[in-house]
Structures are given as C-alpha cells and as structure tokens.
Amino acid sequence: MKNLYILTTAFLLILSASCDSTTETVSKDEWLTIETEEYSLQHPKEWKQEKQQQMGTEFMLMTSRTSALDEFKENINLVVQDISNTNLDLEKYTAISEEQIMEGMENAEMISSERTKKHGETAQQIIYTASYGKRKLKFEQYYWIKNSKAFILTMTCEADQFDTYKKVGEEILESFRLK
C-alpha cells in the first residue's frame, strides 16, 4: 500500500499549507522555472516554492495570504513515486488512486476523471472535492507514468476559492513537462 502512503503524504502536505492567496500574476516572461532531469514546470514568482522533506515530494508552490483571516494557502505540489517493483500502468494506478481518494478522504466526491494528452504524454486528469475538518477542498490532479515512476501533480484550493485560482493554477499545471 505504498500508494496509500504517497497519497496520504501528499494530502497531509496540502493540509499543512495554512495561509494566503493571490491570483494576480506577472507576465509569463517573468515566471520562474523549476527544472530537473525528469521534468520542468513554470510558475509565477508570487507562488513561493517550498522544498518538502516528505517521501516522494519534489516541491510545493504556495500562494500568499490575501488577508489576516486567510487560513489556507492554495498550492500546487508534485509527488514522484517509484513504481518499478509493481505491475502498474496508468489505468491501474488511476483505479487504485481513485479508490484511495473515495475511501480515505472525508466526504470525497469525484467530479471528473478523464484520460488526456499533455505535451505528447498520456495523463489522467482527476478533479474531486473532500473535507478536512470544517474546510472543503477542491483538487485538480494529473497522473503520468513514465520510466517506472508515477508523477502526481496536484493543485489544491479551498472549494470556494477554486474558480479564483483556476486560470493561473491551470496555466502552472499546463506548463509541466516530462523529459
């Protein structure tokens, strides 16, 4: 149940983000780039990168507070999981992940799950909501399987803020490239 551990870790990372949110961005030529041998991603400089120490988490990008009352930082994170010792393809990985979401997250509701192509790579896009305490969150998540690894890219927002962050968040998600 390594997948459950990764999913739980990713969820806890998301929830540990208590803070703020800014939707205004600079022009794309002023965006910053995260680049490794395996992937690249661009983001507005206002979304602050935090390195994570949790297993498999590559990075977390977080918004800024919009006010002193803003208690949750909308965020994007990437988890990379070695699946070389499994027999998982994208279809099986998605099925396991969806089951874990529905069984492991409070009040989980699947909004959509669709196969898509992103920059020549087959991906699974999942959008769902779940509760954490009194907070309702909305997630947009992409899964890729490449070179015996699962790449899980997730945008997390308070559900009532999702539409506010959707445009810039999806631009960040869209900038993700596997190499």
Side-chain angles (χ1 to χ4, degrees):
M1 288 277 106
K2 201 173 192 182
N3 281 352
L4 182 58
Y5 177 77
I6 294 296
L7 181 65
T8 303
T9 299
F11 187 63
L12 291 174
L13 286 171
I14 292 160
L15 297 176
S16 69
S18 68
C19 56
D20 353 304
S21 321
T22 295
T23 58
E24 295 186 27
T25 63
V26 295
S27 68
K28 281 208 171 176
D29 60 344
E30 295 182 39
W31 281 31
L32 303 175
T33 300
I34 299 170
E35 188 152 2
T36 72
E37 292 179 5
E38 297 180 305
Y39 62 85
S40 66
L41 176 132
Q42 295 181 317
H43 65 90
K45 62 184 178 182
E46 297 87 3
W47 286 60
K48 301 299 180 197
Q49 181 180 353
E50 293 188 12
K51 279 285 194 185
Q52 297 297 318
Q53 301 301 316
Q54 283 78 6
M55 181 178 157
T57 304
E58 295 283 311
F59 63 80
M60 180 178 276
L61 299 172
M62 303 181 82
T63 60
S64 300
R65 284 189 185 189
T66 55
S67 73
L69 299 176
D70 188 2
E71 297 178 350
F72 184 83
K73 289 183 186 177
E74 281 62 29
N75 62 83
I76 292 177
N77 71 71
L78 177 66
V79 172
V80 179
Q81 180 181 13
D82 179 356
I83 59 168
S84 60
N85 293 328
T86 70
N87 190 25
L88 296 176
D89 58 13
L90 185 58
E91 186 173 335
K92 291 175 188 173
Y93 190 90
T94 298
I96 290 168
S97 297
E98 288 177 350
E99 183 178 325
Q100 290 174 348
I101 289 166
M102 298 308 293
E103 291 178 6
M105 300 177 84
E106 184 180 339
N107 298 318
E109 181 179 328
M110 192 67 60
I111 296 169
S112 66
S113 180
E114 300 174 352
R115 190 66 47 96
T116 186
K117 281 274 194 190
K118 291 287 186 189
H119 312 292
E121 303 283 349
T122 301
Q124 187 75 23
Q125 179 197 37
I126 298 175
I127 300 175
Y128 62 97
T129 59
S131 297
Y132 181 73
K134 294 181 181 180
R135 183 172 286 139
K136 185 172 183 177
L137 301 176
K138 188 169 184 177
F139 304 83
E140 182 169 348
Q141 200 166 57
Y142 287 89
Y143 305 149
W144 292 267
I145 305 294
K146 186 170 184 174
N147 299 329
S148 299
K149 293 183 180 179
F151 294 82
I152 305 98
L153 185 65
T154 306
M155 175 173 68
T156 307
C157 300
E158 288 184 289
D160 65 353
Q161 293 296 309
F162 187 83
D163 288 342
T164 302
Y165 289 94
K166 182 177 171 75
K167 183 178 185 297
V168 69
E170 289 184 347
E171 287 180 37
I172 297 168
L173 296 173
E174 182 64 30
S175 78
F176 183 77
R177 304 278 194 286
L178 287 172
K179 297 181 180 180

